[in-house]
Amino acid sequence: MKFAYFPGCSLHSTAKEYDASTKFVCGRLGIELVEIPNWVCCGATPIHRTNALASIALPAKNLLWAQTENLPVAAPCSECFSRLKLANLEVAENEELKKNVSEVLGETYEGNVDIYHLPQVIIEKIGLKEIEKKVAKKLSGLKIASYYGCLLTRPPKVATFDRIEDPQFLDNLVLSLGAESVNWAYKTECCGATFSLSKKELVLKLTNDILQNAYDEKADCIMVACPLCHSNLDLRQKEVEKKYKVKYNLPVFYFTQLIGLSMGADIRGLGLKRHMVSAEKLLSSKGLI
Amino acid sequence: MKWIILKDTDKKITGEVEKISGQVVANCYQCGKCTAGCPLAYAMDLGPTRFIRILQLGVTEEIKKSNTPWFCISCETCTTRCPREIDIAKLMDATRIVSQNGEFKPRELRIAIFDKIFTKLVEVFGRPPEFLLGALNNALTFNLFKDVLLFPKMFIKGKLPISFSRVNSKAVQQIFEKSKSR
């Protein structure tokens, strides 16, 4: 199975471990990822707040290559995925927008590229049964809170996975890896993503609420599928603990790292040493490393 | 309870917001579901429901001084749940765009400055270098020491590469230049 891969900016900087573990897991599952040549930023939130046309044209610029090569696109970041897919949908629905976007790009973008979020590629296209076959070491005894965040499940016309308000696909993956899935209330709450640099106090509050709930529900760790969720929950966790005078010490994993771990990859190769909240103590206490 | 005096109403901003977003604010019947689910409602002066009400009425002064559109984080909860299928997050985006087009001053300067820096970096580099984004944001918001304790740690962990390569910047500049004139 071949996909045009759109890693997005974070996977080349703050989330290199997500990139590395993605490539490892996809390699094992027979998914071929071809990185889109010279891809540019999807525009993320700041562009759709400031320039409506550019917010569609930037993702479309990246999709032009996939259109020519006739390949579906796989994006590991929720923000990139959402912007790419939304651009595709809006161009497909709106003739005038298609005309404007094509004029800005200097090439015609048709709006007919299939775009998938990475969990969708792995869980829906490959399937949990195939993953279970590749599990060499079950993650027994690990209690995982699956965190979906905002753009992995919303808005429904873009994120067409299972249930909007109480999604299950990551929880099902957790069970396939032999771990325990934590039932918690904050799985689709927003971490504050884009305000991390501009309005930090809001992010710390939202992140604290999420960490608190996972902690109260006795999770050992949190599993995410977005580099922005990871950066708020992991990078800012110490700051949250200091501000709210609490102690969570909850490691945050990318879902690809946990699949990789169950397939027997070593923790350095999966980039587990790059996290701010160390996962080693937890993993060795469960006999997983 | 807060009272709004209905004089000097003007639908100019509302009209522009509707045009940019493609939404019709009159469709809202004020059920309050958006505010109930909004993770930032606690920090907003009006919250989405009341903000849409002042858009409907065209209370220009209230629209200009509300922090509600600025605190919208685009998590899409309101848009997902709205029984009238209004894309509320898009209304908030459109309000900020109207402000940015010079109609009124941004109520939350720091958020507006961050958005500007991010946009400029995408325009120049194709992919915004995180290191520059953090540094410029600190400098331009007079908050030089914000997160400085995090930077060395991020650097050691390889999470903050200091590189300034440009990717496809000509094509990106063309996108920004051409889309500005519309």
Side-chain angles (χ1 to χ4, degrees):
Chain A
M1 219 177 274
K2 194 172 167 185
F3 287 87
Y5 180 50
F6 184 83
C9 306
S10 297
L11 273 80
H12 280 208
S13 56
T14 55
K16 280 183 180 162
E17 65 270 29
Y18 191 14
D19 191 43
S21 54
T22 294
K23 285 175 177 161
F24 173 83
V25 169
C26 287
R28 283 288 182 93
L29 293 171
I31 302 165
E32 193 189 339
L33 299 176
V34 190
E35 191 162 320
I36 296 176
N38 290 324
W39 57 267
V40 293
C41 175
C42 69
T45 308
I47 312 277
H48 71 72
R49 288 206 292 228
T50 49
N51 187 331
L53 184 54
S55 79
I56 303 294
L58 276 171
K61 167 83 198 149
N62 295 303
L63 295 171
L64 278 172
W65 186 78
Q67 175 180 275
T68 317
E69 299 290 317
N70 200 15
L71 281 176
V73 173
C77 166
S78 298
E79 179 82 62
C80 301
F81 159 74
S82 188
R83 296 313 307 166
L84 292 173
K85 187 148 176 203
L86 195 75
N88 192 62
L89 280 174
E90 294 208 347
V91 166
E93 281 169 3
N94 184 336
E95 274 301 319
E96 198 193 334
L97 183 66
K98 186 197 278 186
K99 208 180 107 229
N100 289 340
V101 167
S102 301
E103 225 169 277
V104 167
L105 294 175
E107 268 178 84
T108 307
Y109 182 63
E110 300 288 349
N112 56 4
V113 175
D114 287 327
I115 294 137
Y116 299 98
H117 198 315
L118 192 67
Q120 213 178 1
V121 171
I122 293 177
I123 298 168
E124 287 179 14
K125 296 273 151 190
I126 299 293
L128 293 176
K129 281 214 172 92
E130 283 304 306
I131 295 169
E132 279 167 30
K133 279 186 208 161
K134 300 264 167 46
V135 172
K137 187 171 56 182
K138 285 197 169 181
L139 306 181
S140 311
L142 199 59
K143 291 195 209 88
I144 304 173
S146 299
Y147 178 60
Y148 299 76
C150 42
L151 299 176
L152 192 52
T153 55
R154 291 188 295 267
K157 74 167 181 175
V158 175
T160 48
F161 304 114
D162 55 0
R163 288 150 54 168
I164 304 166
E165 298 285 352
D166 184 17
Q168 297 295 321
F169 55 97
L170 291 179
D171 295 81
N172 293 338
L173 172 70
V174 163
L175 298 176
S176 291
L177 301 179
E180 285 172 45
S181 165
V182 173
N183 191 8
W184 63 315
Y186 275 68
K187 55 162 79 167
T188 61
E189 286 297 320
C190 179
C191 70
T194 185
F195 286 164
S196 190
L197 288 175
S198 52
K199 213 70 187 162
K200 197 169 72 177
E201 61 274 23
L202 299 180
V203 169
L204 294 181
K205 195 253 176 202
L206 298 178
T207 305
N208 181 53
D209 291 347
I210 294 162
L211 291 168
Q212 175 81 57
N213 187 246
Y215 184 82
D216 288 347
E217 298 297 343
K218 310 274 186 287
D220 294 323
C221 58
I222 298 175
M223 183 175 91
V224 300
C226 168
L228 304 174
C229 303
H230 192 277
S231 104
N232 281 337
L233 295 177
D234 177 61
L235 204 64
R236 298 226 178 263
Q237 194 174 131
K238 283 270 170 306
E239 223 173 323
V240 167
E241 288 179 338
K242 206 172 152 196
K243 184 174 178 192
Y244 290 93
K245 298 185 179 58
V246 283
K247 197 84 192 137
Y248 299 125
N249 203 20
L250 280 172
V252 185
F253 297 99
Y254 289 105
F255 79 109
T256 44
Q257 288 178 313
L258 289 172
I259 301 176
L261 197 67
S262 76
M263 288 176 172
D266 75 280
I267 63 162
R268 196 174 286 274
L270 294 172
L272 284 171
K273 286 190 181 286
R274 285 180 184 272
H275 296 174
M276 294 292 165
V277 181
S278 170
E280 286 165 72
K281 210 171 154 192
L282 169 68
L283 294 177
S284 65
S285 78
K286 303 278 176 191
L288 297 170
I289 51 170
Chain B
M1 182 187 261
K2 192 177 168 186
W3 291 85
I4 290 172
I5 312 295
L6 285 182
K7 59 171 190 177
D8 303 328
T9 55
D10 173 5
K11 297 283 176 68
K12 184 163 175 259
I13 293 179
T14 307
E16 284 178 39
V17 167
E18 287 190 322
K19 200 174 143 215
I20 294 169
S21 65
Q23 307 299 307
V24 180
V25 293
N27 281 344
C28 169
Y29 54 33
Q30 294 283 296
C31 72
K33 208 167 184 173
C34 46
T35 305
C38 177
L40 267 314
Y42 82 96
M44 292 171 173
D45 48 9
L46 295 176
T49 315
R50 287 203 281 169
F51 186 75
I52 295 174
R53 186 69 184 133
I54 59 169
L55 277 178
Q56 287 175 336
L57 297 169
V59 194
T60 310
E61 283 318 303
E62 293 289 327
I63 297 170
K64 288 180 183 173
K65 71 178 191 211
S66 172
N67 68 14
T68 301
W70 301 94
F71 279 180
C72 168
I73 191 77
S74 312
C75 76
E76 308 279 344
T77 306
C78 52
T79 299
T80 300
R81 292 179 183 170
C82 177
R84 300 287 292 145
E85 296 184 359
I86 302 170
D87 192 338
I88 300 160
K90 214 169 184 178
L91 281 180
M92 301 298 168
D93 277 355
T95 310
R96 286 184 295 231
I97 292 174
V98 171
S99 154
Q100 208 221 207
N101 290 349
E103 191 64 45
F104 60 96
K105 277 192 190 146
R107 162 70 208 281
E108 285 292 325
L109 211 52
R110 277 196 181 175
I111 293 172
I113 290 174
F114 175 80
D115 288 349
K116 269 250 159 40
I117 298 170
F118 188 96
T119 308
K120 201 71 206 165
L121 289 177
V122 173
E123 200 175 330
V124 174
F125 292 99
R127 299 173 195 168
E130 263 90 351
F131 174 73
L132 263 186
L133 184 63
L136 283 175
N137 188 56
N138 279 10
L140 295 177
T141 54
F142 304 105
N143 203 353
L144 283 181
F145 299 109
K146 195 173 104 198
D147 291 331
V148 282
L149 292 173
L150 262 182
F151 286 171
K153 235 182 155 181
M154 286 178 73
F155 186 72
I156 292 166
K157 300 256 179 195
K159 283 182 175 282
L160 205 61
I162 303 181
S163 66
F164 302 91
S165 58
R166 288 179 152 194
V167 183
N168 231 337
S169 45
K170 265 217 175 102
V172 175
Q173 272 154 26
Q174 182 191 318
I175 289 174
F176 279 99
E177 260 160 42
K178 286 199 179 171
S179 56
K180 252 174 221 157
S181 56
R182 282 159 196 280

